[in-house]
Amino acid sequence: YLGDSSPPVNQGTKVETETETKYIEALGYDYQPQPKDKKSWLPKLISYGKSSWSKSELDSFSDESRKILKNDKDVAPETLDPESDSVLILTPMKNNAGYMSKYFELIETLEFPRHKISLAFLISDSTDNTQKLLIKAKKKYQEQGPKEMRFKRFDIYRQDFFNGMPGNERHLRERQRERRIVMARARNYLWTRALGNEQWVAWIDGDLTAYPPTILRDLMTYDKDIIVPNCMYPISKNGLPYSMYDYNAWQETPESLAMIKDLKEDDFLVEGYTDLKTYRKHLDEFDKEDTIVPLDGVGGTFTLVKAHVHRSGIGFPTWVFQHQVETEGFAKLAKANGFGVFGLPNYNIHHVSN
């Protein structure tokens, strides 16, 4: 919560696990994680590095599968698996110079080992000092700072799409398909260039203003393929000093599914417009008791993804897939391929009011 009238930040809810005691800090709510609830919908993959199999396990495999396992036995120890507990933070940027200082201020607060964090940025169609500031930041963290404070990687990419949409038109409904397709292209360029041997991918907006320093650990605790917090911004609503910012995180309802049945295959849906009622349930419409909920669409303000989701070929559609593109299309595509998509209605982060 922002401003003098903001309620105090919750000091943390004590969570006991079998191996450790940790504290979850959420902005503005008494947040109780339930990591054992609603496990990933993706079936667990066979561990090819397993040294031996029981007779019952082997009997459950086809002849072809047994041949594959036998053939892979020698190479398994040499296989490069994703580095445990590592995360790649991805941030597309366009004219982000004014928010750069806050961006790195928040990154510095993350309670996560620096040597396990990789950063990658894509600069697109920028006309301000975004690129110069990123280069300066790279030198600060990777060359001038102490070695123990350096990130595993700090990569900067540049790919322009020459999308000259005026700033005062970027939120017009009739420009959303065009705008979001360009954003999808940017995200796809970034993750396909930057993803290395990390276990997790965190998509983080360049203009957030607050999130808990424990957020990476908090979201990882749930062990979901894709998971998002609730992104708010400081616009008063219903007597509260904040309101929901990211309406791209939602759950289909019987009403929304009935509405979709009447659409043409290429019809494009977008949230947040009074002249287009989609009947979907957004994160701010769940109860305080709803710690974690399944979703059908997500935004990109802070989205944690298991890296194997992207490695499986799940990116951000640049075409209309189930009436969505970009991040919502990503969620739909992921679910169509058996991955789980979830949201935390009462775990708040904050976005700049723009």
Side-chain angles (χ1 to χ4, degrees):
Y1 300 98
L2 307 178
D4 295 335
S5 60
S6 303
V9 173
N10 175 30
Q11 295 303 308
T13 299
K14 190 174 183 180
V15 182
E16 300 287 348
T17 68
E18 294 180 358
T19 59
E20 64 177 349
T21 299
K22 63 184 296 186
Y23 287 84
I24 304 296
E25 179 186 83
L27 300 181
Y29 280 95
D30 183 18
Y31 176 74
Q32 178 66 43
Q34 299 173 15
K36 295 183 179 179
D37 286 359
K38 300 180 181 176
K39 287 295 185 184
S40 167
W41 297 343
L42 184 70
K44 296 296 183 183
L45 300 179
I46 294 174
S47 173
Y48 289 101
K50 188 171 179 178
S51 58
S52 63
W53 301 86
S54 68
K55 186 179 184 303
S56 61
E57 288 174 322
L58 288 173
D59 288 345
S60 68
F61 298 150
S62 66
D63 289 342
E64 182 71 13
S65 295
R66 284 194 287 270
K67 290 178 182 178
I68 291 172
L69 289 171
K70 183 178 180 180
N71 196 49
D72 284 349
K73 182 178 179 182
D74 293 335
V75 76
E78 306 300 324
T79 301
L80 183 63
D81 291 324
E83 181 184 355
S84 177
D85 210 29
S86 59
V87 61
L88 171 65
I89 294 176
L90 297 177
T91 303
M93 288 190 169
K94 176 182 178 180
N95 294 334
N96 265 78
Y99 308 112
M100 197 73 69
S101 176
K102 187 63 177 179
Y103 177 89
F104 283 105
E105 177 186 325
L106 289 172
I107 291 291
E108 287 183 3
T109 69
L110 287 173
E111 295 180 7
F112 205 87
R114 282 287 178 92
H115 69 282
K116 294 283 191 177
I117 298 176
S118 296
L119 302 176
F121 305 89
L122 177 66
I123 307 167
S124 302
D125 301 337
S126 278
T127 56
D128 66 0
N129 290 328
T130 296
Q131 184 164 300
K132 290 182 179 179
L133 291 174
L134 273 179
I135 293 172
K136 184 178 179 181
K138 182 175 182 178
K139 290 181 179 179
K140 171 188 173 183
Y141 290 107
Q142 304 302 94
E143 299 176 15
Q144 299 169 354
K147 290 185 178 181
E148 62 271 17
M149 296 304 292
R150 295 178 185 178
F151 299 99
K152 181 181 178 182
R153 287 190 291 129
F154 191 124
D155 298 329
I156 303 171
Y157 302 95
R158 175 97 193 199
Q159 176 63 46
D160 295 315
F161 301 98
F162 299 98
N163 178 38
M165 185 180 299
N168 62 348
E169 296 183 10
R170 65 190 297 263
H171 288 302
L172 294 179
R173 178 185 162 191
E174 59 269 23
R175 304 299 300 270
Q176 290 312 297
R177 184 190 297 223
E178 171 193 357
R179 172 176 172 262
R180 300 295 299 282
I181 286 175
V182 171
M183 293 171 67
R185 291 175 63 195
R187 290 187 186 277
N188 288 332
Y189 184 95
L190 180 54
W191 80 259
T192 54
R193 285 295 305 273
L195 181 56
N197 202 36
E198 291 81 18
Q199 187 177 20
W200 299 88
V201 173
W203 291 92
I204 301 181
D205 257 11
D207 47 3
L208 295 177
T209 60
Y211 52 72
T214 57
I215 188 168
L216 288 175
R217 293 286 189 206
D218 294 348
L219 300 190
M220 289 176 184
T221 298
Y222 286 93
D223 191 29
K224 300 304 181 186
D225 298 317
I226 303 168
I227 190 167
V228 296
N230 192 355
C231 187
M232 319 291 282
Y233 72 143
I235 298 296
S236 298
K237 183 179 179 180
N238 298 329
L240 298 173
Y242 64 91
S243 56
M244 187 170 177
Y245 176 83
D246 194 352
Y247 279 93
N248 296 330
W250 40 260
Q251 185 184 89
E252 297 284 17
T253 65
E255 293 78 12
S256 69
L257 293 173
M259 180 268 295
I260 288 173
K261 287 183 179 179
D262 296 329
L263 297 178
K264 298 178 182 177
E265 183 178 353
D266 194 47
D267 284 343
F268 170 65
L269 294 177
V270 63
E271 304 299 307
Y273 294 86
T274 55
D275 59 341
L276 177 62
K277 191 169 181 59
T278 62
Y279 304 99
R280 287 158 169 167
K281 189 172 183 178
H282 301 95
L283 280 180
D284 64 343
E285 299 176 77
F286 289 90
D287 296 329
K288 288 186 177 182
E289 293 75 25
D290 294 322
T291 305
I292 180 168
V293 296
L295 295 178
D296 297 287
V298 298
T301 55
F302 201 117
T303 305
L304 186 71
V305 183
K306 287 185 177 179
H308 72 247
V309 176
H310 283 315
R311 291 192 184 99
S312 298
I314 310 302
F316 300 87
T318 57
W319 70 99
V320 176
F321 177 76
Q322 295 184 8
H323 310 293
Q324 310 296 155
V325 299
E326 209 228 344
T327 55
E328 303 98 301
F330 168 65
K332 288 279 191 177
L333 189 59
K335 294 193 70 172
N337 282 271
F339 295 102
V341 182
F342 294 86
L344 305 178
N346 298 310
Y347 192 112
N348 292 348
I349 65 173
H350 292 163
H351 194 281
V352 69
S353 177
N354 60 358

